[in-house]
Amino acid sequence: MIRDQIRQIVTKAVASAQSSGNLPQIEFPPVEIERPNQPDHGDYSSNFALLAASAIKKASGRKANPRQLAQSIVDNIPADEMVGSVELAGPGFINFRLNQGWLQQSVLSIIDQGACFGAIDRGKGQRWQVEYVSANPTGPLHYGGGRNAVLGDALANVLEAAGYDVQREFYVNDGGSQIQLFIESLYACYLQLCEKLDGAPVRNVEIPDGAYQGAYLHDYARLVREQVGDRLAHLEPAEAREALRDIGREIVVTDIRDELAAMGVTFDRWFSEKSLYDEGLVDRLLKELSEKGEVIKRDGAHWFLASKYPGNEKDEVVVRSSGAPTYFASDIAYHYDKFVRRRFDRVVNVWAVDHQGHVPRMGAIMRALDLDPERLTILLYNLVKLIREGQEVKMSKRSGDFLTVREVVEEVGPDAMRFMLLTTSPESGIEFDMSLAVQRKNENRVFYVQYGHARICSLLQRAADSGHRNPEALPEDASEVVNLLTDPAELALIRRMLEMEEQIELAVERLSPHNLTYYAEDLTKTFSVFYENCQVLHSDVPQPLARARLLLILAARTALSRVLSLMGMSAPQEM
RNA sequence: GCGCCAGUAGCUCAGUGGAUUAGAGCGUCGCCCUGCGGAGGCGAAGGUCGCAGGUUCGAGUCCUGCCUGGCGCGCCA
């Protein structure tokens, strides 16, 4: 990465300045390289001399002049093909400018990297898991789950680009009371349907409090009937429910899977909570934790003594006095499975902010299992407010009448949905304006970016039609040709594209890929300026320059489609 | 009451490894089409970065207190 290389250069220069006696032999803070806001300040800049001055003052009590320190560092920076100039500026900043020839050649490197452009090796093959969505399998996804899906998926993409070995997982809560309630609700619905259509026996099934009652249940009931006819209506209720458990689970999980697939989100594994009970892992771990004194019996229930761990104020029930385990019991087994059995180095769980209360106790689980809590990160995201025609779209949760992910995707399209739900940092709320998302106008940022890509494709197509050879098969003189790219707009575009690695690193470092949406816009904007200033296919443009510019826009297409794919969006050839 | 998060331009939001003059998009007001997709480009106006202290040579960024809004504090998930 460019910034790392600059950091290396400065670090080495500091070391040689120290050994030649121009800098004192004290412990200096690590060299930081930043990107200045002002173009005048170069492409990269280091404030090291300012930090060094205060370090010297602290160590020796002597005042040091940061400008002089900077000068002795600059004096020790050797020539480098990547660096065009090194300047000393202001109170002691060291500003770097990239070499023009090096920038020009990097166009070829971008084309060469293709779909992998910007990949870095930060992860070094570490095994990470991103667990996201994990909505209760009791109905279609609430639109809010769309943000979870987009965030988790983009995060997984960006982690892969940064060299991590990533597994994407959906945890299916099919072991608890909610799925039970769902099955009973579905059973009641199914009985009504069979009674009506098949004249099946009338059964008075008790519908429990809080039963699910959304309209989708009727659709599911129809699916059940298509599969097994009215057979279940003739069984004893207990038997029927047992049979319906698997069928109902399969129907709802398939529904959720299809919804997510419609927005381009897929998983490597759908992990069943129930399987943790079936194989006895939950019981085993509860027993072990009891033996270790982490779980005790009190007031008829079994409690995990979370309060002895930092950040936890209360203990947590793992088995109710009724004998039914809570979700917390399976959470213990689930995380044991993730870290001990499957040996993930790190796990990120993506949760909506209303689950924030559970975060501390996850840390307690990790400690109780003798695992480093740092290996588990809970990524919380804020809620989504849907706006349509300037009005908030109100939901009635009581009747199960809410907008689903599927409906939002159908209304605005998967790309607009993904982009919009990715634009803010996770901890900020989102006002998702659906009316805006469908507008084919420039105030819609999604269209702006995709339009840029389509424009590039159109240009390349025109070039091919007018007899230019395909620039993707790099001509032999390519490295000479790109030296013709000297227009400020051309160089600005190259610089912008070269930010890709840093953007990927940033998204990974903060575990929040929203910066990609801004980068995509900047990239598109920089291309548009080039497009406005520099003709490609025009009789006035000499052949060699036209060829150079075709290589440049091919690189731009590579970069733009890369960032779109990291966000999980399509890169349309035409619109 | 306690905890977490947010408060930056008219609107929606970036920026939170402290650093040279605080950004973008939209909106508003001006420009630019006998040129590759005008779904574009250029420019202007617009901000005491919630308030008050503190640390620092330097704070939107770190610390403390307060105000406002959202969320969370069950043998629910």
Side-chain angles (χ1 to χ4, degrees), chain A residues 117-118 497-504 519 559 562-563:
Chain A
F117 173 52
M497 293 190 286
L498 291 174
E499 281 177 34
M500 183 73 75
E501 292 182 338
E502 286 161 38
Q503 293 291 341
I504 288 171
Y519 178 54
R562 170 66 151 160
V563 68

Side-chain angles (χ1 to χ4, degrees), chain A residues 409-422:
Chain A
V409 170
E410 279 168 5
E411 187 166 332
V412 307
D415 288 339
M417 180 172 186
R418 293 191 69 134
F419 190 95
M420 296 292 197
L421 291 181
L422 201 59

Side-chain angles (χ1 to χ4, degrees), chain A residues 100-140:
Chain A
Q100 180 168 304
W102 183 85
L103 283 173
Q104 291 158 339
Q105 294 307 311
S106 61
V107 169
L108 303 178
S109 143
I110 292 167
I111 295 170
D112 192 50
Q113 291 176 65
C116 300
F117 173 52
I120 55 178
D121 190 23
R122 183 187 165 98
K124 305 197 186 316
Q126 270 191 68
R127 300 187 64 233
W128 277 43
Q129 182 196 63
V130 184
E131 183 218 314
Y132 53 112
V133 188
S134 299
N136 268 337
T138 56

Side-chain angles (χ1 to χ4, degrees), chain A residues 35 112 163 186 199 209 241 247 265 282 296 298 363 370 404 453 552 559:
Chain A
R35 294 194 80 109
D112 192 50
L186 180 59
D209 286 346
R241 286 198 189 94
I247 301 170
V265 173
V282 178
I296 61 157
R298 186 163 70 206
D370 296 317
T404 62
H453 185 270
L552 179 62

Side-chain angles (χ1 to χ4, degrees), chain A residues 136-153:
Chain A
N136 268 337
T138 56
L141 286 173
H142 181 265
Y143 70 85
R147 184 168 190 191
N148 194 320
V150 165
L151 186 54
D153 196 56

Side-chain angles (χ1 to χ4, degrees), chain A residues 296-350:
Chain A
I296 61 157
K297 197 164 182 186
R298 186 163 70 206
D299 305 331
H302 293 264
W303 298 74
F304 170 62
L305 301 179
S307 62
K308 64 191 213 188
Y309 295 106
N312 286 269
E313 286 168 6
K314 312 173 285 120
D315 298 328
E316 303 287 343
V317 170
V318 284
V319 181
R320 301 176 182 90
S321 46
S322 68
T326 65
Y327 272 44
F328 192 58
S330 46
D331 272 348
I332 294 173
Y334 184 36
H335 286 81
Y336 175 88
D337 183 79
K338 290 186 185 200
F339 289 102
V340 179
R341 285 178 163 174
R342 288 192 276 167
R343 299 169 184 274
F344 286 111
D345 294 304
R346 285 277 303 267
V347 170
V348 179
N349 292 352
V350 184

Side-chain angles (χ1 to χ4, degrees), chain A residues 391-407:
Chain A
Q391 296 282 318
E392 180 176 359
V393 182
K394 293 284 185 188
M395 302 290 156
S396 155
K397 219 168 181 185
R398 184 171 37 91
S399 62
D401 172 27
F402 56 82
L403 218 49
T404 62
V405 162
R406 177 175 285 120
E407 288 166 314

Side-chain angles (χ1 to χ4, degrees), chain A residues 23-43:
Chain A
L23 283 181
Q25 304 268 3
I26 62 167
E27 187 78 15
F28 283 121
V31 172
E32 301 291 352
I33 305 295
E34 63 193 39
R35 294 194 80 109
N37 296 325
Q38 297 279 124
D40 287 353
H41 301 153
D43 295 313

